[in-house]
């Protein structure tokens, strides 16, 4: 598979920043041991009485019979000493509007997640999505936009929570990325714009959602959800973007390297059954087939389960799941593979699938099946 032209250095290697200049007052603390004239304090520190009063709006001050103002004893006064200049650099969005994309593709995806406990189905979700992908690989730029999000949830009681998930997915997945030399997402170029979209939603439609309305009797839960959203959108996590299955299959080494140069890669998989544990994986690349324009690549993961990690899995299982499942920990198993059909002429993914199965053998099992298909009839403008 021919590699595309080596990207040149571009301006986005420099992080755009704004320099914000502000002044900040420094203070000393003056302890009033006995009643003291404000004039004496002002002369001691070479500040005016008005400045002292302004810095201490709640100070206990009284006038004597002769008109002099005194500070009452046993209190501390803040005395303004001098101003210092604070210069702060604030990272701003890269001017992504100036990026020229030279390839576009539209995809439809389907993701099914199933949970079984003791071989009995307990939950099922099906998500159908549509994405627009734009690329400028020579400059390491790419953009994804979520256009459709359709879902089905069992049991139905969980369906209302997907209202919020749907809204936040639309906000999060209108993103401009910088890729690294291995085709992975390296940076999010429109972080501030994404956060502003979240703020607009939070301030307008957030509390209108049926899911949020159902929690009106529990305002602490609403505040917690809102706070979590604020933190997530203020500090967008690169790993979360990399691990999202659409991005996982579309952005990889094959964008920049021929198959023969693809290297084994490490991947940190957050467990869906025992969520406080991260499972290290090692992916290898196998070639399934190749013709003039297409190459099909399979990525298969091998879990790296250490003795210490296994002990942590058992410990969390006993704490969280055993009280409900009753059965003891058996064996942790994880299977993770993906198949990708890549167009070497256009340097773009045509089809892909991901299969993940995580289980505590015979006790609980989570499976995820994801498929991606490029649309050729409904194409981007």
């Amino acid at each position: 598979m021919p590699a595309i032209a080596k990207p040149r250095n571009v301006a986005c290697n420099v992080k755009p920043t704004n320099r914000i200049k502000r002044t900040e007052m420094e203070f000393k603390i003056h302890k009033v041991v006995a009643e003291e004239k404000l004039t004496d304090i002002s002369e001691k520190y070479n500040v005016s009485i008005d400045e002292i009063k302004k810095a201490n709006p709640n100070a206990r001050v009284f006038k004597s019979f002769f008109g002099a103002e005194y500070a009452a004893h046993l209190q501390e006064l803040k005395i303004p000493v001098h101003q210092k200049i604070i210069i702060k650099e604030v990272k701003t969005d890269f001017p992504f509007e100036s990026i020229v994309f030279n390839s576009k593709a539209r995809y439809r995806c389907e993701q099914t997640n199933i949970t079984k406990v003791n071989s009995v189905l307990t939950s099922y979700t099906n998500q159908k999505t549509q994405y627009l992908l734009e690329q400028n690989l020579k400059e390491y730029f790419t953009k994804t936009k979520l256009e459709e999000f359709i879902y089905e949830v069992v049991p139905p009681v969980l369906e209302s929570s997907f209202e919020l998930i749907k809204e936040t997915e639309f906000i999060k997945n209108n993103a401009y990325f910088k890729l690294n030399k291995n085709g992975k997402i390296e940076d999010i170029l429109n972080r501030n714009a994404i956060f502003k979209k979240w703020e607009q939603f939070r301030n307008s439609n957030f509390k209108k959602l049926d899911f949020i309305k159902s929690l009106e009797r529990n305002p602490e839960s609403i505040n917690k959800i809102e706070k979590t959203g604020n933190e997530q959108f203020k500090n967008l996590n690169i790993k979360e973007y990399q691990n999202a299955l659409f991005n996982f299959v579309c952005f990889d080494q094959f964008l920049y390297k021929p198959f023969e140069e693809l290297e084994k890669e490490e991947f940190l998989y957050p467990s869906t059954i025992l969520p406080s544990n991260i499972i290290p994986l090692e992916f290898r690349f196998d070639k399934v087939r190749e013709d003039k324009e297409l190459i099909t690549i399979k990525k298969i993961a091998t879990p790296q389960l250490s003795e210490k990690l296994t002990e942590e899995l058992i410990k969390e299982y006993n704490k969280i799941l055993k009280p409900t499942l009753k059965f003891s920990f058996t064996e942790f198993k994880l299977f993770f593979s993906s198949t990708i059909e890549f167009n070497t002429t256009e340097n773009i993914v045509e089809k892909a699938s991901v299969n993940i199965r995580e289980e505590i053998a015979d006790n609980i099992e989570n499976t995820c099946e994801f498929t991606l298909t490029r649309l050729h009839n409904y194409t981007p403008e």
Side-chain angles (χ1 to χ4, degrees):
M1 182 180 74
I4 67 171
K6 184 179 179 181
R8 57 186 173 85
N9 292 328
V10 291
C12 68
N13 289 327
V14 179
K15 306 292 185 185
T17 57
N18 277 344
R19 293 172 66 87
I20 298 177
K21 182 178 178 181
R22 62 185 174 86
T23 58
E24 187 175 282
M25 183 65 70
E26 287 189 337
F27 297 92
K28 283 186 177 181
I29 300 299
H30 176 78
K31 294 183 179 180
V32 183
V33 179
E35 296 170 354
E36 292 184 59
K37 285 185 180 180
L38 290 185
T39 52
D40 293 340
I41 299 173
S42 68
E43 288 173 3
K44 179 178 179 180
Y45 294 101
N46 196 28
V47 295
S48 70
I49 291 176
D50 287 341
E51 287 176 308
I52 295 174
K53 287 181 176 180
K54 185 177 180 181
N56 302 274
N58 298 317
R60 302 191 306 278
V61 177
F62 63 91
K63 280 188 177 183
S64 70
F65 180 78
F66 300 101
E69 289 187 292
Y70 284 80
H73 70 294
L74 298 180
Q75 62 179 317
E76 294 183 347
L77 299 179
K78 291 167 61 179
I79 308 299
V81 181
H82 66 271
Q83 290 183 334
K84 63 178 179 179
I85 296 174
I86 306 293
I87 297 177
K88 185 179 180 181
E89 289 192 348
V90 179
K91 184 178 176 182
T92 60
D93 282 345
F94 179 81
F96 47 84
E97 299 87 352
S98 63
I99 301 172
V100 177
F101 296 102
N102 45 37
S103 72
K104 295 182 180 181
R106 185 169 270 119
Y107 295 93
R108 286 207 177 140
C109 309
E110 184 169 3
Q111 180 174 331
T112 302
N113 293 79
I114 294 174
T115 297
K116 291 182 179 179
V117 175
N118 296 326
S119 301
V120 177
L121 177 70
T122 57
S123 70
Y124 164 93
T125 63
N126 179 267
Q127 302 172 45
K128 293 181 174 69
T129 53
Q130 181 172 297
Y131 286 89
L132 177 64
L133 170 66
E134 301 181 61
Q135 296 186 133
N136 181 340
L137 295 181
K138 289 185 178 181
E139 308 290 356
Y140 285 112
F141 290 124
T142 187
K143 175 191 175 186
T144 62
K145 182 179 181 181
L146 178 62
E147 298 181 321
E148 298 275 0
F149 187 100
I150 304 161
Y151 58 88
E152 178 186 0
V153 185
V154 176
V157 69
L158 301 175
E159 190 164 341
S160 63
S161 65
F162 267 73
E163 286 183 314
L164 179 59
I165 293 171
K166 178 178 178 178
E167 294 291 343
T168 55
E169 286 295 303
F170 275 111
I171 296 169
K172 185 168 62 176
N173 292 297
N174 188 355
Y176 290 76
F177 300 122
K178 170 81 184 307
L179 303 181
N180 63 21
K181 64 181 181 180
N182 285 323
K184 302 288 187 182
I185 295 172
E186 180 180 79
D187 198 7
I188 305 160
L189 303 179
N190 62 327
R191 290 174 177 271
N192 293 334
I194 291 173
F195 182 69
K196 286 178 182 177
K197 286 287 186 182
W198 158 254
E199 285 187 311
Q200 291 170 4
F201 165 70
R202 182 197 64 200
N203 297 333
S204 57
N205 295 325
F206 174 73
K207 292 187 177 178
K208 296 178 183 178
L209 297 177
D210 290 339
F211 173 62
I212 300 301
K213 287 180 179 179
S214 71
L215 301 174
E216 284 179 348
R217 293 184 179 180
N218 190 355
E220 288 185 5
S221 294
I222 297 176
N223 291 337
K224 187 175 180 180
I225 293 170
E226 190 173 341
K227 184 178 179 181
T228 300
N230 291 338
E231 292 174 354
Q232 288 179 344
F233 281 96
K234 188 67 175 176
N235 303 289
L236 294 173
N237 190 312
I238 293 287
K239 283 293 182 185
E240 287 184 12
Y241 275 93
Q242 291 175 339
N243 293 353
L245 293 180
F246 178 83
N247 298 331
F248 175 81
V249 298
C250 287
F251 307 128
D252 212 331
Q253 295 181 47
F254 47 72
L255 292 177
Y256 292 105
K257 297 178 181 179
F259 176 81
E260 292 72 24
E261 295 179 16
L262 300 181
E263 301 173 351
K264 287 184 178 181
E265 61 183 29
E266 294 181 351
F267 183 88
L268 298 178
Y269 175 81
S271 171
T272 59
I273 294 178
L274 301 168
S276 68
N277 288 277
I278 303 294
I279 315 300
L281 305 179
E282 183 182 74
F283 275 104
R284 74 172 193 269
F285 293 86
D286 293 339
K287 186 192 294 184
V288 178
R289 59 181 172 272
E290 184 175 14
D291 59 25
K292 291 181 180 179
E293 295 184 346
L294 298 174
I295 182 169
T296 302
I297 299 169
K298 191 155 190 171
K299 290 179 65 176
I300 300 176
T302 303
Q304 309 296 306
L305 288 174
S306 65
E307 192 174 315
K308 182 179 180 182
L309 177 56
T310 301
E311 289 175 359
E312 290 298 320
L313 292 170
I314 295 172
K315 182 179 177 181
E316 187 174 2
Y317 175 87
N318 289 336
K319 180 180 178 181
I320 296 177
L321 295 178
K322 189 176 180 181
T324 302
L325 301 181
K326 307 302 180 184
F327 290 101
S328 299
F329 183 92
T330 52
E331 181 185 5
F332 178 84
K333 294 183 178 181
L334 177 61
F335 172 79
F336 191 149
S337 74
S338 63
T339 303
I340 300 158
E341 185 178 280
F342 185 69
N343 188 316
T344 57
T345 302
E346 297 183 56
N347 289 296
I348 204 161
V349 173
E350 291 286 347
K351 293 190 296 185
S353 65
V354 177
N355 291 281
I356 306 170
R357 185 179 70 253
E358 181 184 0
E359 61 180 305
I360 309 297
D362 300 314
N363 291 353
I364 183 170
E365 174 186 303
N366 284 347
T367 61
C368 173
E369 294 183 358
F370 174 86
T371 59
L372 172 150
T373 305
R374 183 181 178 187
L375 302 182
H376 286 279
N377 294 323
Y378 178 40
T379 56
E381 297 179 356

